[in-house]
Amino acid sequence: MKFILLSLLFLISLNTYSQDERNFRDLFKAELDKEVREDSTEDSKYVVNTPLYKIDLDGDYRKESIFYEFKDGMSWIHFLNYDESRLKSFKLDVNGFGAKVYKVRVRNLSKDVLGLVFFFYEGLTKYTEMNSTVRLYFVTIDSKNLSNIYMEKGPIFWEEKRTHQGHYFQRPNKLSFVDFNKNGTKEILIKQGNTASVFMYLKKGKWLKF
C-alpha cells in the first residue's frame, strides 16, 4: 500500500470575483521542525506528513503553520503557532484507500472571521461496489484569536460510485461564498444541479444548515 503524501499539494482555488480570497499554489515546501516531527511520530508505526505551510492566520504579520498528517490509518490537520508550538489538531474521518487533503480555500467570512474550507478525499472502497467521496471540513478563526480555532465536519462535496450491476455515476458540486442576509458574514453555498445547501456561520465553530 503506497501513500504518496510527501508530494501532496494543497491546490487552492481562486474566486476571481473576490478581493479578499487568497490564492496559494506551492504549499508545504518547508521541512517540518524536528521537534514537531518527533512529537508527531512518537509511538506510531506508520506516519507520512507534509512539510509545513506558512500563513498569517491572525493578522499579526507573523506566520503560523499548517500541515497534514496520515498516521496509522488516521488523517489529521495540525495548526502550529509562529514559533511552531502546537495550537490545535483535528481528526479527519477516513473511509478508504488513498485518503488525503487535496485542496483548501481560504476566505474572510467577515472582518472578524477567517474561514478555511478543506477538501478531503475520504478514500476509495471496493467491496461489492466501488465508492469514493470528497467531504468538506470548515475551519474558522474568530476575532483573529488563535485560541479560537474551530473545525466542523461538513457535507459530501463529490461522490463517485460503480454498483455491482456496473452502473457508474458521479455527483459533483459547486462551492461559493455569498452574503445572503447582508449582515457582513458570508455563507457557504453548495450547489448540485437544481438543489442547494447553505451553511451559515454563527460563532464559536457553530454552523446552521438550511
Side-chain angles (χ1 to χ4, degrees):
M1 185 169 60
K2 298 181 180 179
F3 296 91
I4 315 175
L5 297 180
L6 288 177
S7 60
L8 175 68
L9 296 177
F10 275 145
L11 302 178
I12 312 300
S13 296
L14 175 65
N15 183 341
T16 58
Y17 299 100
S18 169
Q19 296 299 316
D20 60 348
E21 184 170 359
R22 285 163 286 173
N23 185 35
F24 302 103
R25 292 293 181 184
D26 298 321
L27 306 187
F28 298 137
K29 282 190 171 180
E31 287 300 319
L32 279 175
D33 176 83
K34 181 180 179 182
E35 184 175 333
V36 172
R37 184 186 295 276
E38 289 177 351
D39 175 66
S40 177
T41 59
E42 184 177 0
D43 299 326
S44 299
K45 295 181 180 178
Y46 183 85
V47 178
V48 179
N49 45 30
T50 66
L52 299 182
Y53 169 56
K54 299 286 188 175
I55 175 176
D56 182 3
L57 295 172
D58 58 357
D60 66 352
Y61 303 104
R62 295 183 300 187
K63 291 185 177 181
E64 287 70 45
S65 302
I66 306 172
F67 74 96
Y68 169 75
E69 176 181 60
F70 186 87
K71 178 168 63 176
D72 286 351
M74 295 184 292
S75 287
W76 297 84
I77 291 291
H78 301 291
F79 289 80
L80 310 179
N81 210 335
Y82 70 92
D83 60 359
E84 297 186 0
S85 59
R86 196 176 300 276
L87 288 169
K88 289 285 184 68
S89 295
F90 299 99
K91 183 181 176 182
L92 311 179
D93 295 329
V94 175
N95 286 338
F97 172 79
K100 63 181 180 180
V101 171
Y102 72 92
K103 180 177 176 180
V104 60
R105 293 184 70 174
V106 182
R107 184 68 177 268
N108 290 312
L109 299 183
S110 72
K111 64 178 182 179
D112 298 318
V113 178
L114 179 67
L116 300 91
V117 180
F118 288 86
F119 292 68
F120 180 61
Y121 179 66
E122 296 181 301
L124 172 69
T125 57
K126 290 183 179 179
Y127 297 108
T128 57
E129 298 182 345
M130 182 273 287
N131 189 65
S132 59
T133 51
V134 171
R135 184 176 295 275
L136 303 181
Y137 283 80
F138 304 143
V139 171
T140 48
I141 302 172
D142 292 1
S143 305
K144 298 183 178 180
N145 187 335
L146 294 178
S147 62
N148 297 330
I149 303 179
Y150 307 97
M151 176 175 275
E152 176 76 9
K153 185 177 181 178
I156 290 178
F157 184 74
W158 176 86
E159 183 177 12
E160 177 186 36
K161 180 175 288 188
R162 180 178 286 110
T163 68
H164 62 274
Q165 291 91 358
H167 301 300
Y168 174 84
F169 66 90
Q170 287 189 27
R171 291 179 180 172
N173 289 315
K174 295 182 179 179
L175 182 148
S176 56
F177 300 89
V178 183
D179 185 0
F180 286 105
N181 55 9
K182 307 301 181 183
N183 68 346
T185 300
K186 295 178 179 66
E187 284 73 53
I188 295 177
L189 172 65
I190 309 295
K191 293 189 66 176
Q192 182 183 63
N194 295 323
T195 64
S197 298
V198 176
F199 295 82
M200 176 186 292
Y201 187 63
L202 303 176
K203 59 180 180 179
K204 295 184 178 180
K206 303 299 182 182
W207 292 82
L208 178 64
K209 176 186 176 182
F210 56 93

